[in-house]
Structures are given as C-alpha cells and as structure tokens.
Amino acid sequence: IVANVLAGDYDSASTRKKVEELVASAPCVVFTWEASPFSQKALKYLDIAGAEVKNVRLDDPWDEGNPLRAELGKMVGRTSVPCVWIGGEYVGGFDGGVSEEKPGILELAFKGELLPKLEAAGALKKKKAD
C-alpha cells in the first residue's frame, strides 16, 4: 500500500512495459535503493558469485522509481528491495521471496541453485584468458 501511495497516479500499462523492458535488458537485473543494506548485500554477493548485474536504482530519481516499485509489487507480490531477476525470472530479494521457488538469492546460493541459474541466463562475467 505504501508503494502505491508514494507512486501516486501513474500509467500502469506503460510502467509495466518499462519494467518488462528493464528485466529483459540484461541476464541479471536488480532493482535497488542506494541506502538499502539488503540491496547492497545482494549486489556484493552477486558480484562475488561472478554475476554481471544491471543495477536499476529506484531512488534516482524517486519520482521515476516509485511507480516502478509499485508496479513491481503488482507483478511479484512484494515491493521490498532488492528485487532480483535472473534470465527474466523473478527469484526474490536478498534473503527472502514470495515462495519456495522464489526464495531470494541467499537461499538459492545455499541450495546450490544460484550459480546454475546465473550460468543458464548468461549472467556470469566472462573469464579473461591468461
């Protein structure tokens, strides 16, 4: 509800289209806030995992990010950040998600499922030849 209030009046269809375009624009897309500790942890640990991440900041500027956040909430069932997408699929946040299939990257990593997802999506950084 808070995300919808902060978003104010916006064109839901065009905002959803923009979210879909952003999600499709890279193999691993993370919607974040700069001041969110969980957003920073997600970016850090995805980097450690070797992922190339497209970071979409929802707080820069707020007037553009708030409608995106509200629409993400409608699409995935939660408005918290980070909001992590791998291969066009929502996988949850850092340490939580909306279901057992979308538990967040921390649980995916502990289950041994994060790296295979990143690899299948083509989201791992290319290793430099020696």
Side-chain angles (χ1 to χ4, degrees), residues 44-121:
K44 174 183 176 183
Y45 291 114
L46 284 167
D47 183 60
I48 289 170
E52 193 166 323
V53 175
K54 178 172 186 170
N55 180 12
V56 179
R57 287 195 40 203
L58 298 176
D59 57 351
D60 187 23
W62 285 108
D63 63 330
E64 291 178 20
N66 284 331
L68 292 173
R69 178 180 170 221
E71 202 58 34
L72 281 163
K74 291 178 188 176
M75 293 170 72
V76 304
R78 67 188 287 176
T79 60
S80 58
V81 292
C83 183
V84 182
W85 296 72
I86 299 173
E89 175 191 355
Y90 172 68
V91 298
F94 174 66
D95 65 349
V98 295
S99 68
E100 290 208 16
E101 295 79 36
K102 301 168 186 344
I105 63 168
L106 185 64
E107 187 170 322
L108 288 174
F110 275 110
K111 289 179 169 179
E113 298 173 6
L114 180 61
L115 284 176
K117 275 188 182 295
L118 291 167
E119 186 172 26

Side-chain angles (χ1 to χ4, degrees), residues 3-19:
N4 292 333
V5 170
L6 291 172
D9 291 328
Y10 69 94
D11 181 341
S12 182
S14 67
T15 303
R16 179 173 291 250
K17 183 177 182 207
K18 183 170 183 174
V19 169

